[in-house]
Protein backbone atom coordinates (compact mmCIF):
# COMPACT_ATOMS: atom_id res chain seq x y z
CA UNK A 1 0.00 0.00 0.00
CA UNK A 2 1.36 3.47 -0.92
CA UNK A 3 2.07 6.23 1.55
CA UNK A 4 -0.88 8.19 0.04
CA UNK A 5 -3.22 5.27 0.71
CA UNK A 6 -1.96 5.08 4.29
CA UNK A 7 -2.75 8.79 4.75
CA UNK A 8 -6.26 8.46 3.32
CA UNK A 9 -6.95 5.47 5.55
CA UNK A 10 -5.72 7.40 8.59
CA UNK A 11 -7.93 10.38 7.77
CA UNK A 12 -10.95 8.12 7.25
CA UNK A 13 -10.37 6.37 10.56
CA UNK A 14 -10.07 9.71 12.36
CA UNK A 15 -13.26 11.03 10.70
CA UNK A 16 -15.08 7.83 11.60
CA UNK A 17 -13.98 8.12 15.23
CA UNK A 18 -15.14 11.75 15.38
CA UNK A 19 -18.52 10.87 13.82
CA UNK A 20 -18.95 8.07 16.36
CA UNK A 21 -18.08 10.10 19.45
CA UNK A 22 -19.63 13.48 18.49
CA UNK A 23 -22.67 14.35 20.60
CA UNK A 24 -26.12 14.15 19.03
CA UNK A 25 -28.50 17.08 18.94
CA UNK A 26 -32.28 16.72 18.89
CA UNK A 27 -33.41 15.87 15.34
CA UNK A 28 -35.67 18.26 13.47
CA UNK A 29 -39.13 16.93 12.54
CA UNK A 30 -39.47 15.81 8.94
CA UNK A 31 -42.88 17.42 8.78
CA UNK A 32 -43.97 19.84 11.40
CA UNK A 33 -47.36 21.49 11.62
CA UNK A 34 -47.43 24.43 9.24
CA UNK A 35 -48.27 27.91 10.44
CA UNK A 36 -51.58 28.49 8.69
CA UNK A 37 -52.61 32.00 7.70
CA UNK A 38 -55.74 33.50 9.23
CA UNK A 39 -58.64 34.09 6.86
CA UNK A 40 -58.42 37.76 5.76
CA UNK A 41 -62.09 38.65 6.21
CA UNK A 42 -61.16 42.34 5.93
CA UNK A 43 -60.50 41.71 2.22
CA UNK A 44 -64.24 41.21 1.63
CA UNK A 45 -66.57 44.12 0.82
CA UNK A 46 -68.29 45.51 3.94
CA UNK A 47 -71.74 43.92 3.56
CA UNK A 48 -70.21 40.51 2.86
CA UNK A 49 -67.63 40.82 5.62
CA UNK A 50 -70.34 41.69 8.14
CA UNK A 51 -72.44 38.66 7.19
CA UNK A 52 -69.47 36.25 7.23
CA UNK A 53 -68.46 37.47 10.69
CA UNK A 54 -72.03 37.25 11.98
CA UNK A 55 -72.50 33.71 10.66
CA UNK A 56 -69.22 32.62 12.26
CA UNK A 57 -70.38 34.12 15.57
CA UNK A 58 -73.88 32.62 15.56
CA UNK A 59 -72.74 29.14 14.49
CA UNK A 60 -69.52 29.30 16.54
CA UNK A 61 -67.51 28.09 13.56
CA UNK A 62 -64.19 29.31 12.12
CA UNK A 63 -64.63 32.42 9.99
CA UNK A 64 -62.73 30.53 7.26
CA UNK A 65 -65.76 28.31 6.62
CA UNK A 66 -68.24 31.12 6.03
CA UNK A 67 -65.62 33.19 4.20
CA UNK A 68 -64.69 30.44 1.75
CA UNK A 69 -68.33 29.56 1.13
CA UNK A 70 -69.07 33.25 0.51
CA UNK A 71 -66.54 33.16 -2.34
CA UNK A 72 -68.25 30.05 -3.71
CA UNK A 73 -71.63 31.80 -3.54
CA UNK A 74 -70.25 34.78 -5.48
CA UNK A 75 -68.75 32.35 -8.01
CA UNK A 76 -72.14 30.65 -8.39
CA UNK A 77 -73.72 34.01 -9.18
CA UNK A 78 -70.95 35.09 -11.57
CA UNK A 79 -69.57 31.87 -13.01
CA UNK A 80 -70.14 31.65 -16.74
CA UNK A 81 -71.43 35.22 -16.78
CA UNK A 82 -68.24 37.24 -16.25
CA UNK A 83 -64.51 37.02 -16.93
CA UNK A 84 -61.48 38.98 -15.72
CA UNK A 85 -59.27 40.39 -18.47
CA UNK A 86 -55.71 40.27 -17.11
CA UNK A 87 -53.68 41.18 -20.21
CA UNK A 88 -53.54 40.30 -23.89
CA UNK A 89 -55.47 37.08 -24.44
CA UNK A 90 -55.28 36.12 -20.78
CA UNK A 91 -58.80 36.00 -19.38
CA UNK A 92 -59.86 34.23 -16.22
CA UNK A 93 -63.44 33.01 -15.70
CA UNK A 94 -64.95 33.75 -12.31
CA UNK A 95 -65.91 30.24 -11.22
CA UNK A 96 -63.99 28.63 -8.34
CA UNK A 97 -63.41 25.22 -6.76
CA UNK A 98 -63.17 25.61 -2.97
CA UNK A 99 -62.79 22.79 -0.42
CA UNK A 100 -62.86 23.33 3.36
CA UNK A 101 -61.60 20.50 5.57
CA UNK A 102 -63.27 20.32 8.99
CA UNK A 103 -63.98 17.39 11.31
CA UNK A 104 -67.54 16.39 12.31
CA UNK A 105 -69.65 18.42 14.76
CA UNK A 106 -68.61 21.76 13.27
CA UNK A 107 -72.12 22.81 12.17
CA UNK A 108 -71.17 22.83 8.51
CA UNK A 109 -74.75 22.31 7.34
CA UNK A 110 -75.97 25.34 9.28
CA UNK A 111 -73.30 27.54 7.70
CA UNK A 112 -74.05 26.16 4.23
CA UNK A 113 -77.74 26.93 4.64
CA UNK A 114 -77.16 30.50 5.76
CA UNK A 115 -74.73 31.21 2.91
CA UNK A 116 -76.51 29.33 0.11
CA UNK A 117 -80.17 30.15 0.85
CA UNK A 118 -80.16 33.32 -1.30
CA UNK A 119 -79.05 31.23 -4.29
CA UNK A 120 -82.21 29.15 -3.94
CA UNK A 121 -84.21 32.38 -3.64
CA UNK A 122 -82.59 33.62 -6.85
CA UNK A 123 -83.26 30.29 -8.55
CA UNK A 124 -86.92 30.53 -7.56
CA UNK A 125 -87.12 34.07 -8.97
CA UNK A 126 -85.55 32.93 -12.24
CA UNK A 127 -88.11 30.13 -12.48
CA UNK A 128 -90.96 32.57 -11.88
CA UNK A 129 -89.71 34.89 -14.60
CA UNK A 130 -89.20 32.05 -17.06
CA UNK A 131 -92.44 30.19 -16.26
CA UNK A 132 -94.75 32.03 -18.73
CA UNK A 133 -92.25 31.56 -21.56
CA UNK A 134 -91.92 27.85 -20.76
CA UNK A 135 -95.70 27.34 -20.64
CA UNK A 136 -96.17 29.17 -23.93
CA UNK A 137 -93.40 27.18 -25.61
CA UNK A 138 -94.80 23.89 -24.27
CA UNK A 139 -98.27 24.76 -25.62
CA UNK A 140 -96.85 25.79 -28.99
CA UNK A 141 -94.82 22.59 -29.21
CA UNK A 142 -97.82 20.43 -28.33
CA UNK A 143 -100.12 22.11 -30.84
CA UNK A 144 -97.46 21.97 -33.55
CA UNK A 145 -96.93 18.25 -32.93
CA UNK A 146 -100.67 17.57 -32.96
CA UNK A 147 -101.01 19.46 -36.25
CA UNK A 148 -98.10 17.53 -37.74
CA UNK A 149 -99.51 14.18 -36.55
CA UNK A 150 -102.98 14.98 -37.93
CA UNK A 151 -101.49 16.02 -41.25
CA UNK A 152 -99.47 12.81 -41.41
CA UNK A 153 -102.57 10.72 -40.68
CA UNK A 154 -104.55 12.59 -43.32
CA UNK A 155 -101.79 12.13 -45.89
CA UNK A 156 -101.60 8.41 -45.16
CA UNK A 157 -105.34 7.99 -45.83
CA UNK A 158 -105.49 10.26 -48.87
CA UNK A 159 -106.05 9.06 -52.40
CA UNK A 160 -102.98 8.84 -54.65
CA UNK A 161 -103.75 12.05 -56.52
CA UNK A 162 -104.01 14.04 -53.22
CA UNK A 163 -101.23 12.31 -51.26
CA UNK A 164 -98.24 14.22 -52.66
CA UNK A 165 -99.53 17.64 -51.62
CA UNK A 166 -100.67 16.39 -48.22
CA UNK A 167 -97.31 14.70 -47.56
CA UNK A 168 -95.53 17.94 -48.40
CA UNK A 169 -97.80 19.82 -45.99
CA UNK A 170 -97.25 17.20 -43.27
CA UNK A 171 -93.47 17.45 -43.67
CA UNK A 172 -93.60 21.23 -43.33
CA UNK A 173 -95.69 20.96 -40.17
CA UNK A 174 -93.33 18.31 -38.75
CA UNK A 175 -90.33 20.57 -39.35
CA UNK A 176 -92.15 23.44 -37.66
CA UNK A 177 -92.93 21.25 -34.64
CA UNK A 178 -89.30 20.11 -34.48
CA UNK A 179 -88.04 23.71 -34.49
CA UNK A 180 -90.00 24.74 -31.41
CA UNK A 181 -87.62 24.93 -28.45
CA UNK A 182 -88.96 24.64 -24.94
CA UNK A 183 -86.68 26.47 -22.46
CA UNK A 184 -85.50 24.41 -19.50
CA UNK A 185 -86.40 25.31 -15.95
CA UNK A 186 -83.56 27.51 -14.59
CA UNK A 187 -81.23 25.81 -12.12
CA UNK A 188 -78.18 27.22 -10.35
CA UNK A 189 -77.28 24.32 -8.07
CA UNK A 190 -76.93 20.65 -9.01
CA UNK A 191 -78.50 18.17 -6.60
CA UNK A 192 -76.76 15.12 -8.06
CA UNK A 193 -73.10 15.78 -8.81
CA UNK A 194 -72.11 12.80 -10.95
CA UNK A 195 -70.03 13.66 -14.01
CA UNK A 196 -72.94 12.78 -16.31
CA UNK A 197 -75.40 14.94 -14.39
CA UNK A 198 -73.05 17.92 -14.23
CA UNK A 199 -72.42 17.65 -17.99
CA UNK A 200 -76.14 17.56 -18.75
CA UNK A 201 -76.87 20.50 -16.45
CA UNK A 202 -74.12 22.53 -18.11
CA UNK A 203 -75.64 21.85 -21.52
CA UNK A 204 -79.11 22.81 -20.30
CA UNK A 205 -78.25 25.81 -18.12
CA UNK A 206 -76.29 28.01 -20.48
CA UNK A 207 -72.89 26.43 -19.78
CA UNK A 208 -72.87 26.90 -16.00
CA UNK A 209 -73.78 24.97 -12.85
CA UNK A 210 -72.70 24.96 -9.21
CA UNK A 211 -72.13 22.09 -6.79
CA UNK A 212 -72.27 23.03 -3.11
CA UNK A 213 -72.26 20.38 -0.40
CA UNK A 214 -71.63 20.23 3.33
CA UNK A 215 -70.66 16.55 3.05
CA UNK A 216 -68.13 16.57 0.23
CA UNK A 217 -69.49 13.43 -1.43
CA UNK A 218 -68.36 14.91 -4.73
CA UNK A 219 -64.80 13.80 -3.88
CA UNK A 220 -66.04 10.22 -3.64
CA UNK A 221 -67.80 10.57 -6.98
CA UNK A 222 -64.81 12.17 -8.66
CA UNK A 223 -62.60 9.43 -7.29
CA UNK A 224 -64.78 6.87 -9.04
CA UNK A 225 -66.26 5.22 -5.96
CA UNK A 226 -69.63 4.94 -7.70
CA UNK A 227 -68.20 3.98 -11.07
CA UNK A 228 -67.08 0.54 -12.15
CA UNK A 229 -64.41 1.99 -14.44
CA UNK A 230 -61.80 4.74 -14.12
CA UNK A 231 -62.90 8.12 -12.75
CA UNK A 232 -64.67 10.35 -15.28
CA UNK A 233 -62.95 13.66 -14.59
CA UNK A 234 -63.30 15.41 -17.94
CA UNK A 235 -66.21 17.68 -17.03
CA UNK A 236 -64.57 18.71 -13.74
CA UNK A 237 -61.27 19.49 -15.45
CA UNK A 238 -62.75 21.43 -18.37
CA UNK A 239 -65.48 22.96 -16.23
CA UNK A 240 -62.85 24.78 -14.18
CA UNK A 241 -60.77 26.06 -17.09
CA UNK A 242 -63.67 26.85 -19.42
CA UNK A 243 -62.40 24.57 -22.20
CA UNK A 244 -64.89 23.35 -24.79
CA UNK A 245 -66.61 20.13 -23.82
CA UNK A 246 -68.19 17.74 -26.31
CA UNK A 247 -69.99 14.55 -25.35
CA UNK A 248 -70.74 12.20 -28.23
CA UNK A 249 -72.26 8.95 -27.02
CA UNK A 250 -74.94 6.58 -28.20
CA UNK A 251 -77.40 7.88 -25.63
CA UNK A 252 -76.75 11.62 -26.01
CA UNK A 253 -74.81 14.33 -27.78
CA UNK A 254 -73.95 17.52 -25.89
CA UNK A 255 -71.70 20.45 -26.73
CA UNK A 256 -70.74 23.10 -24.19
CA UNK A 257 -68.87 26.12 -25.55
CA UNK A 258 -67.63 27.65 -22.28
CA UNK A 259 -68.35 25.31 -19.35
CA UNK A 260 -68.23 27.00 -15.94
CA UNK A 261 -68.52 24.68 -12.95
CA UNK A 262 -68.35 26.12 -9.43
CA UNK A 263 -67.77 24.02 -6.32
CA UNK A 264 -68.02 24.89 -2.65
CA UNK A 265 -67.66 21.77 -0.56
CA UNK A 266 -66.70 20.67 2.91
CA UNK A 267 -64.82 17.46 3.61
CA UNK A 268 -63.54 15.69 6.68
CA UNK A 269 -59.74 15.98 6.98
CA UNK A 270 -59.17 12.25 6.46
CA UNK A 271 -60.77 12.54 3.02
CA UNK A 272 -57.80 14.61 1.84
CA UNK A 273 -55.52 11.69 2.58
CA UNK A 274 -57.84 9.31 0.73
CA UNK A 275 -58.25 11.50 -2.36
CA UNK A 276 -54.50 12.03 -2.47
CA UNK A 277 -54.13 8.29 -3.09
CA UNK A 278 -56.26 8.45 -6.24
CA UNK A 279 -53.58 8.65 -8.91
CA UNK A 280 -55.93 9.97 -11.58
CA UNK A 281 -57.09 12.86 -9.39
CA UNK A 282 -53.55 14.21 -8.88
CA UNK A 283 -52.12 13.08 -12.19
CA UNK A 284 -54.80 14.73 -14.33
CA UNK A 285 -54.74 17.95 -12.36
CA UNK A 286 -58.08 17.76 -10.56
CA UNK A 287 -56.66 18.40 -7.09
CA UNK A 288 -54.63 21.31 -8.47
CA UNK A 289 -57.86 23.14 -9.32
CA UNK A 290 -59.17 23.38 -5.75
CA UNK A 291 -58.49 26.16 -3.28
CA UNK A 292 -58.09 24.51 0.13
CA UNK A 293 -58.88 25.75 3.62
CA UNK A 294 -57.93 23.83 6.78
CA UNK A 295 -59.30 25.95 9.65
CA UNK A 296 -58.86 24.99 13.28
CA UNK A 297 -61.99 23.49 14.80
CA UNK A 298 -63.65 25.47 17.58
CA UNK A 299 -65.32 22.41 19.12
CA UNK A 300 -64.71 22.55 22.86
CA UNK A 301 -64.31 26.35 22.87
CA UNK A 302 -67.75 27.47 21.70
CA UNK A 303 -70.10 29.89 23.43
CA UNK A 304 -73.41 28.49 24.63
CA UNK A 305 -75.33 31.69 23.77
CA UNK A 306 -73.66 33.43 20.82
CA UNK A 307 -75.04 36.55 19.19
CA UNK A 308 -77.48 35.77 16.34
CA UNK A 309 -77.01 37.21 12.86
CA UNK A 310 -78.64 40.69 12.89
CA UNK A 311 -81.71 40.85 10.64
CA UNK A 312 -80.43 43.86 8.72
CA UNK A 313 -77.11 42.13 8.01
CA UNK A 314 -78.87 39.01 6.75
CA UNK A 315 -81.38 40.99 4.69
CA UNK A 316 -78.62 42.98 3.02
CA UNK A 317 -76.71 39.81 2.20
CA UNK A 318 -79.79 38.12 0.75
CA UNK A 319 -80.80 41.16 -1.28
CA UNK A 320 -77.32 41.64 -2.73
CA UNK A 321 -76.73 37.99 -3.64
CA UNK A 322 -80.16 37.63 -5.26
CA UNK A 323 -79.73 40.93 -7.11
CA UNK A 324 -76.26 40.07 -8.38
CA UNK A 325 -77.38 36.61 -9.51
CA UNK A 326 -80.42 37.91 -11.37
CA UNK A 327 -78.50 40.75 -13.00
CA UNK A 328 -75.74 38.48 -14.31
CA UNK A 329 -78.20 35.78 -15.39
CA UNK A 330 -79.26 38.05 -18.26
CA UNK A 331 -75.78 38.07 -19.79
CA UNK A 332 -75.21 35.68 -22.69
CA UNK A 333 -71.72 36.86 -23.59
CA UNK A 334 -69.71 37.17 -20.36
CA UNK A 335 -69.29 40.61 -18.79
CA UNK A 336 -65.61 41.55 -19.11
CA UNK A 337 -64.02 42.97 -15.95
CA UNK A 338 -60.94 45.09 -16.67
CA UNK A 339 -57.99 45.64 -14.33
CA UNK A 340 -56.87 49.17 -13.60
CA UNK A 341 -53.12 49.79 -14.19
CA UNK A 342 -52.58 49.74 -10.42
CA UNK A 343 -54.47 46.46 -10.02
CA UNK A 344 -52.44 44.93 -12.85
CA UNK A 345 -49.20 45.97 -11.11
CA UNK A 346 -50.31 44.40 -7.81
CA UNK A 347 -51.23 41.19 -9.62
CA UNK A 348 -47.95 41.17 -11.56
CA UNK A 349 -45.95 41.62 -8.33
CA UNK A 350 -47.76 38.62 -6.84
CA UNK A 351 -47.00 36.57 -9.96
CA UNK A 352 -43.32 37.57 -9.80
CA UNK A 353 -43.26 36.56 -6.11
CA UNK A 354 -44.79 33.13 -6.79
CA UNK A 355 -42.70 32.23 -9.83
CA UNK A 356 -39.32 31.45 -8.17
CA UNK A 357 -41.14 29.41 -5.52
CA UNK A 358 -42.20 26.97 -8.24
CA UNK A 359 -38.63 25.74 -8.85
CA UNK A 360 -38.38 22.01 -8.37
CA UNK A 361 -35.24 21.87 -6.26
CA UNK A 362 -35.24 24.88 -3.96
CA UNK A 363 -38.71 26.36 -4.42
CA UNK A 364 -41.06 26.35 -1.45
CA UNK A 365 -43.90 25.38 -3.80
CA UNK A 366 -41.86 23.19 -6.15
CA UNK A 367 -43.43 19.95 -4.95
CA UNK A 368 -46.94 21.31 -5.64
CA UNK A 369 -46.15 23.37 -8.73
CA UNK A 370 -49.21 21.90 -10.48
CA UNK A 371 -51.38 23.61 -7.85
CA UNK A 372 -49.25 26.68 -7.19
CA UNK A 373 -48.96 27.39 -10.90
CA UNK A 374 -52.71 28.12 -10.88
CA UNK A 375 -52.90 30.31 -7.78
CA UNK A 376 -52.04 33.48 -9.71
CA UNK A 377 -54.99 32.87 -12.04
CA UNK A 378 -57.21 32.01 -9.06
CA UNK A 379 -56.24 35.32 -7.47
CA UNK A 380 -57.42 37.18 -10.59
CA UNK A 381 -60.72 35.28 -10.37
CA UNK A 382 -61.12 36.23 -6.72
CA UNK A 383 -60.39 39.87 -7.57
CA UNK A 384 -63.20 39.76 -10.13
CA UNK A 385 -65.62 38.34 -7.56
CA UNK A 386 -64.68 40.93 -4.95
CA UNK A 387 -65.12 43.64 -7.58
CA UNK A 388 -68.60 42.38 -8.48
CA UNK A 389 -69.56 42.28 -4.80
CA UNK A 390 -68.26 45.81 -4.28
CA UNK A 391 -69.95 47.25 -7.39
CA UNK A 392 -73.27 45.43 -7.55
CA UNK A 393 -74.50 47.59 -10.41
CA UNK A 394 -72.39 48.15 -13.53
CA UNK A 395 -69.18 46.48 -12.32
CA UNK A 396 -68.13 45.91 -15.94
CA UNK A 397 -67.98 49.69 -16.48
CA UNK A 398 -65.54 50.23 -13.59
CA UNK A 399 -61.96 48.84 -13.59
CA UNK A 400 -60.82 46.63 -10.71
CA UNK A 401 -59.01 48.83 -8.19
CA UNK A 402 -55.56 48.20 -6.68
CA UNK A 403 -57.21 47.88 -3.25
CA UNK A 404 -59.49 45.11 -4.47
CA UNK A 405 -56.56 43.30 -6.06
CA UNK A 406 -54.55 43.60 -2.85
CA UNK A 407 -57.43 41.94 -1.01
CA UNK A 408 -57.47 39.18 -3.61
CA UNK A 409 -53.71 38.70 -3.21
CA UNK A 410 -54.17 38.35 0.57
CA UNK A 411 -56.72 35.64 -0.12
CA UNK A 412 -54.33 34.05 -2.62
CA UNK A 413 -51.63 33.99 0.07
CA UNK A 414 -54.12 32.51 2.53
CA UNK A 415 -55.01 29.70 0.13
CA UNK A 416 -51.31 29.13 -0.61
CA UNK A 417 -50.60 28.65 3.09
CA UNK A 418 -53.49 26.22 3.48
CA UNK A 419 -52.76 24.55 0.14
CA UNK A 420 -49.31 23.54 1.38
CA UNK A 421 -50.88 21.95 4.46
CA UNK A 422 -53.55 20.23 2.36
CA UNK A 423 -50.99 18.68 0.05
CA UNK A 424 -48.95 17.60 3.07
CA UNK A 425 -52.04 15.63 4.09
CA UNK A 426 -52.33 14.26 0.56
CA UNK A 427 -48.70 13.12 0.47
CA UNK A 428 -47.54 15.52 -2.21
CA UNK A 429 -43.86 15.45 -1.11
CA UNK A 430 -42.61 11.94 -1.95
CA UNK A 431 -39.08 12.47 -0.59
CA UNK A 432 -40.41 13.44 2.83
CA UNK A 433 -42.86 10.54 2.81
CA UNK A 434 -40.14 8.07 1.86
CA UNK A 435 -37.79 9.47 4.50
CA UNK A 436 -40.52 8.87 7.08
CA UNK A 437 -40.82 5.29 5.82
CA UNK A 438 -37.05 4.75 6.22
CA UNK A 439 -37.19 6.31 9.68
CA UNK A 440 -39.91 3.86 10.68
CA UNK A 441 -37.80 0.95 9.39
CA UNK A 442 -34.73 2.10 11.34
CA UNK A 443 -36.79 2.45 14.49
CA UNK A 444 -38.25 -1.04 14.04
CA UNK A 445 -34.81 -2.60 13.48
CA UNK A 446 -33.14 -0.78 16.37
CA UNK A 447 -29.83 -0.50 14.51
CA UNK A 448 -27.13 1.67 16.06
CA UNK A 449 -25.26 1.45 12.80
CA UNK A 450 -26.32 0.17 9.39
CA UNK A 451 -25.22 -0.08 5.81
CA UNK A 452 -27.18 1.03 2.80
CA UNK A 453 -27.21 -2.59 1.61
CA UNK A 454 -28.66 -3.80 4.92
CA UNK A 455 -31.37 -1.15 4.77
CA UNK A 456 -32.25 -2.11 1.22
CA UNK A 457 -33.12 -5.60 2.42
CA UNK A 458 -35.69 -4.25 4.89
CA UNK A 459 -37.51 -1.46 3.05
CA UNK A 460 -40.44 -1.92 0.70
CA UNK A 461 -39.39 -2.50 -2.91
CA UNK A 462 -42.55 -0.76 -4.06
CA UNK A 463 -41.14 2.46 -2.54
CA UNK A 464 -37.46 1.81 -3.22
CA UNK A 465 -36.90 -0.13 -6.40
CA UNK A 466 -33.10 0.36 -6.38
CA UNK A 467 -30.43 1.20 -3.83
CA UNK A 468 -29.91 4.59 -5.50
CA UNK A 469 -33.55 5.46 -4.82
CA UNK A 470 -32.68 5.49 -1.11
CA UNK A 471 -30.27 8.41 -1.52
CA UNK A 472 -32.78 11.33 -1.39
CA UNK A 473 -34.46 9.91 1.72
CA UNK A 474 -31.12 9.24 3.47
CA UNK A 475 -29.87 12.74 2.61
CA UNK A 476 -33.03 14.26 4.10
CA UNK A 477 -32.69 12.17 7.27
CA UNK A 478 -29.07 13.25 7.58
CA UNK A 479 -30.03 16.92 7.09
CA UNK A 480 -32.60 16.57 9.89
CA UNK A 481 -30.13 14.92 12.26
CA UNK A 482 -31.55 11.38 12.39
CA UNK A 483 -28.51 9.66 10.88
CA UNK A 484 -24.81 10.36 10.18
CA UNK A 485 -22.92 9.11 7.18
CA UNK A 486 -19.62 7.46 8.08
CA UNK A 487 -16.60 8.11 5.86
CA UNK A 488 -16.13 5.38 3.27
CA UNK A 489 -13.05 3.28 4.00
CA UNK A 490 -10.95 3.15 0.85
CA UNK A 491 -9.45 -0.16 -0.23
CA UNK A 492 -6.67 -0.72 -2.67
CA UNK A 493 -8.27 -3.77 -4.22
CA UNK A 494 -10.72 -4.11 -7.05
CA UNK A 495 -14.33 -5.23 -6.95
CA UNK A 496 -17.49 -3.88 -5.45
CA UNK A 497 -16.95 -0.77 -3.29
CA UNK A 498 -18.07 -1.07 0.33
CA UNK A 499 -21.66 -0.15 1.06
CA UNK A 500 -22.01 3.29 2.70
CA UNK A 501 -22.56 3.04 6.43
CA UNK A 502 -24.54 5.28 8.75
CA UNK A 503 -24.94 5.86 12.46
CA UNK A 504 -28.45 6.26 13.83
CA UNK A 505 -29.57 8.78 16.42
CA UNK A 506 -29.74 7.19 19.88
CA UNK A 507 -33.39 8.18 20.10
CA UNK A 508 -34.17 5.53 17.47
CA UNK A 509 -32.58 2.74 19.51
CA UNK A 510 -33.31 4.10 22.98
CA UNK A 511 -36.75 5.81 22.85
CA UNK A 512 -36.31 7.44 26.28
CA UNK A 513 -32.92 8.90 25.38
Amino acid sequence: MSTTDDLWEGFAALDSQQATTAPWEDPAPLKGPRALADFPAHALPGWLRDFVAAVAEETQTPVDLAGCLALSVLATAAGGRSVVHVRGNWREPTNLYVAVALPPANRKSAVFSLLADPLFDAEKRLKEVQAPTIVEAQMTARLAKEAADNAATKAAKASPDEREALVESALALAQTAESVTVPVVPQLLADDATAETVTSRLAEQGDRISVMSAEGEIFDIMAGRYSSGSPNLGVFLKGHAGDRLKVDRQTRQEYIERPAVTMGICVQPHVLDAIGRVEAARGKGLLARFLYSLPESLVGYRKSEPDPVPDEVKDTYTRNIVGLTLALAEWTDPAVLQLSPGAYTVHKDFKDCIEPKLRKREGELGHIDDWAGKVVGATARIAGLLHLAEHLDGAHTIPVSPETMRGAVELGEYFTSHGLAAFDAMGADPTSDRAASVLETLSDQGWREFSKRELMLKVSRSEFATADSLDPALSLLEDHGYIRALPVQRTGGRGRPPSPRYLTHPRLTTPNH
Side-chain angles (χ1 to χ4, degrees):
M1 183 180 292
S2 67
T3 303
T4 301
D5 289 336
D6 289 338
L7 286 173
W8 278 115
E9 186 174 343
F11 288 144
L14 180 60
D15 289 343
S16 179
Q17 182 180 6
Q18 290 176 342
T20 304
T21 58
W24 291 86
E25 297 181 357
D26 288 340
L30 289 175
K31 281 186 181 179
R34 293 186 181 272
L36 298 178
D38 295 332
F39 185 84
H42 59 268
L44 304 175
W47 63 270
L48 189 57
R49 178 176 63 248
D50 291 345
F51 186 69
V52 163
V55 168
E57 166 65 19
E58 178 175 310
T59 59
Q60 289 294 285
T61 53
V63 70
D64 313 53
L65 177 57
C68 289
L69 291 180
L71 293 176
S72 298
V73 169
L74 290 176
T76 300
R81 298 297 183 265
S82 63
V83 296
V84 179
H85 180 214
V86 181
R87 69 184 298 268
N89 293 314
W90 182 5
R91 294 187 175 192
E92 288 288 343
T94 50
N95 55 304
L96 294 176
Y97 288 7
V98 180
V100 183
L102 267 175
N106 269 278
R107 299 168 180 166
K108 299 182 288 290
S109 295
V111 177
F112 265 85
S113 294
L114 287 167
L115 269 295
D117 277 352
L119 293 176
F120 289 98
D121 291 344
E123 187 176 89
K124 182 180 178 181
R125 292 275 296 276
L126 288 171
K127 290 177 180 178
E128 291 172 350
V129 170
Q130 193 72 355
T133 303
I134 293 175
V135 171
E136 181 180 350
Q138 289 173 337
M139 178 65 72
T140 301
R142 184 165 70 250
L143 292 175
K145 186 178 184 305
E146 288 177 358
D149 290 343
N150 291 335
T153 301
K154 187 175 181 180
K157 296 178 179 179
S159 60
D161 57 327
E162 296 178 331
R163 183 170 300 159
E164 183 176 352
L166 291 174
V167 167
E168 185 176 341
S169 176
L171 286 173
L173 289 170
Q175 290 171 353
T176 299
E178 189 68 26
S179 68
V180 177
T181 301
V182 179
V184 297
V185 177
Q187 184 176 347
L188 296 173
L189 299 161
D191 297 326
D192 182 358
T194 64
E196 291 73 19
T197 301
V198 170
T199 303
S200 295
R201 295 295 173 269
L202 283 171
E204 295 169 357
Q205 300 297 326
D207 297 2
R208 69 159 174 175
I209 198 68
S210 178
V211 178
M212 296 190 68
S213 169
E215 302 302 327
E217 191 180 42
I218 183 66
F219 267 18
D220 292 326
I221 294 171
M222 289 188 293
R225 178 171 295 185
Y226 303 114
S227 173
S228 57
S230 60
N232 181 6
L233 304 180
V235 66
F236 301 111
L237 299 175
K238 295 185 176 182
H240 180 273
D243 296 334
R244 291 183 181 89
L245 178 62
K246 185 176 182 180
V247 177
D248 191 2
R249 299 178 182 171
Q250 290 183 346
T251 55
R252 72 182 193 276
Q253 291 183 336
E254 295 168 330
Y255 178 73
I256 299 110
E257 179 71 21
R258 288 187 299 265
V261 178
T262 289
M263 290 197 216
I265 62 177
C266 208
V267 298
Q268 294 186 26
H270 72 83
V271 173
L272 293 180
D273 177 66
I275 194 71
R277 299 175 190 274
V278 179
E279 184 177 350
R282 181 77 194 272
K284 292 186 177 181
L286 175 63
L287 300 182
R289 285 161 165 77
F290 276 89
L291 297 173
Y292 298 93
S293 172
L294 281 68
E296 185 175 352
S297 171
L298 297 183
V299 173
Y301 300 91
R302 296 175 293 191
K303 300 177 185 177
S304 58
E305 294 185 352
D307 296 330
V309 177
D311 290 340
E312 62 273 17
V313 171
K314 184 177 181 180
D315 291 344
T316 300
Y317 172 78
T318 300
R319 182 173 61 253
N320 289 346
I321 292 299
V322 171
L324 180 63
T325 305
L326 296 180
L328 289 172
E330 298 176 359
W331 287 77
T332 51
D333 293 330
V336 179
L337 308 177
Q338 302 286 350
L339 302 185
S340 67
Y344 174 76
T345 299
V346 173
H347 188 254
K348 178 182 177 297
D349 290 345
F350 180 62
K351 182 177 183 296
D352 290 341
C353 177
I354 289 291
E355 188 62 27
K357 297 179 181 180
L358 304 179
R359 295 170 186 166
K360 281 292 185 184
R361 292 184 63 86
E362 69 271 21
E364 177 188 353
L365 304 173
H367 64 295
I368 57 167
D369 60 338
D370 55 339
W371 180 89
K374 300 183 190 312
V375 73
V376 174
T379 299
R381 297 185 184 203
I382 293 171
L385 295 173
L386 297 181
H387 180 73
L388 287 166
E390 186 174 358
H391 304 282
L392 295 165
D393 185 20
H396 63 288
T397 66
I398 307 168
V400 177
S401 69
E403 291 75 17
T404 296
M405 183 59 76
R406 277 192 280 270
V409 166
E410 281 196 67
L411 284 160
E413 292 170 341
Y414 166 85
F415 284 118
T416 299
S417 165
H418 287 245
L420 281 166
F423 279 96
D424 280 350
M426 292 187 282
D429 190 349
T431 300
S432 181
D433 290 340
R434 290 175 181 176
S437 178
V438 170
L439 195 61
E440 184 177 353
T441 299
L442 293 176
S443 181
D444 290 343
Q445 297 301 318
W447 289 327
R448 296 180 182 274
E449 182 179 330
F450 67 94
S451 70
K452 188 176 175 182
R453 189 172 294 122
E454 290 169 339
L455 178 61
M456 191 63 191
L457 294 174
K458 297 296 183 181
V459 295
S460 167
R461 287 301 179 95
S462 64
E463 282 189 286
F464 304 97
T466 65
D468 288 343
S469 64
L470 280 168
D471 290 340
L474 291 173
S475 295
L476 189 61
L477 289 175
E478 189 171 6
D479 289 343
H480 283 69
Y482 288 98
I483 61 175
R484 284 181 191 160
L486 292 171
V488 177
Q489 300 286 339
R490 295 186 174 219
T491 61
R494 297 180 179 179
R496 178 188 295 180
S499 176
R501 298 193 67 80
Y502 299 85
L503 296 175
T504 57
H505 194 289
R507 180 176 293 178
L508 300 179
T509 55
T510 310
N512 295 325
H513 182 277

